[in-house]
């Protein structure tokens, strides 16, 4: 009896170490009780190891599914896109254009990101990330999406302040893509500001 207890305790430690804790002491107890004819360390360990591998494979499958889920990728990008936009607008511009931006421009940004995402295979899509933060002052950058492995931009979302004669100031939202070397402007929408010059874009701390 004492020898059996010692064997059981030894197996708990051994299997926990070799399976990185995937198999718990309760798993060992269950295996020992479920298979009373398996008295050797080798028999019980092999059973526990098999259980551990099954758990690891199941976890890997779940993680892979989540990583390569296009809808989750787009949802995550959109959440960050909105954060970056309102960080750029700041407290002076943001409240005045918030509703129109959400209604007219943000859906267009989502369309552009979705169109971009379907062009990439899943193994490349997972490499894409959003830039750290918007530019301040009079610069146009809201955010860029780039490949983390190469460091190269894929798509750039910008806003430009325009002042057509006799019309006052407008915010022109647009994006560029790597397909044409970021030369062409793809319109996302325009929002009217005022006859007066808009404040500079926010200079608050960038998003991380």
């Amino acid at each position: 009896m004492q020898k059996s207890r010692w064997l059981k305790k030894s197996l708990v430690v051994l299997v926990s170490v070799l399976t990185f804790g995937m198999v718990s002491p309760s798993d060992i107890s269950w295996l020992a009780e479920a298979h009373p004819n398996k008295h050797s360390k080798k028999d019980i360990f092999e059973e526990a190891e098999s259980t551990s591998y099954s758990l690891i494979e199941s976890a890997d499958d779940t993680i892979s599914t989540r990583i390569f889920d296009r809808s989750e990728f787009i949802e995550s990008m959109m959440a960050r896109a909105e954060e970056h936009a309102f960080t750029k607008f700041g407290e002076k511009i943001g409240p005045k254009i918030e509703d129109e931006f959400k209604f007219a421009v943000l859906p267009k940004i989502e369309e552009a990101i979705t169109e971009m995402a379907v062009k990439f295979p899943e193994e490349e899509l997972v490499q894409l990330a959003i830039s750290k933060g918007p530019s301040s002052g009079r610069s146009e950058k809201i955010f860029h999406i780039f490949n983390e492995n190469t460091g190269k931009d894929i798509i750039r979302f910008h806003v430009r302040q325009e002042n057509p004669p006799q019309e006052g100031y407008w915010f022109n939202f647009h994006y560029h893509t790597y397909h044409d070397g970021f030369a062409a402007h793809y319109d996302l929408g325009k929002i009217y500001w005022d006859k007066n010059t808009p404040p500079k874009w926010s200079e608050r701390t960038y998003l991380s």
Side-chain angles (χ1 to χ4, degrees), residues 108-120:
K108 295 290 186 180
I109 292 177
E110 184 171 9
E111 287 179 11
I113 291 177
T114 301
E115 184 178 343
M116 175 210 69
V118 299
K119 294 178 180 178
F120 283 84

Side-chain angles (χ1 to χ4, degrees), residues 67-68 70 73-74 76-77 113 116-131 144-155 178:
I67 288 176
F68 297 127
R70 290 179 188 274
F73 168 83
I74 294 169
S76 174
M77 287 291 170
I113 291 177
M116 175 210 69
V118 299
K119 294 178 180 178
F120 283 84
E122 294 174 342
E123 61 270 19
E124 293 183 25
L125 189 63
V126 73
Q127 300 170 8
L128 303 187
I130 199 165
S131 56
H144 296 170
I145 294 176
F146 68 102
N147 185 304
E148 288 187 299
N149 286 357
T150 65
K152 294 182 178 179
D153 287 344
I154 303 298
I155 188 169
Y178 75 101

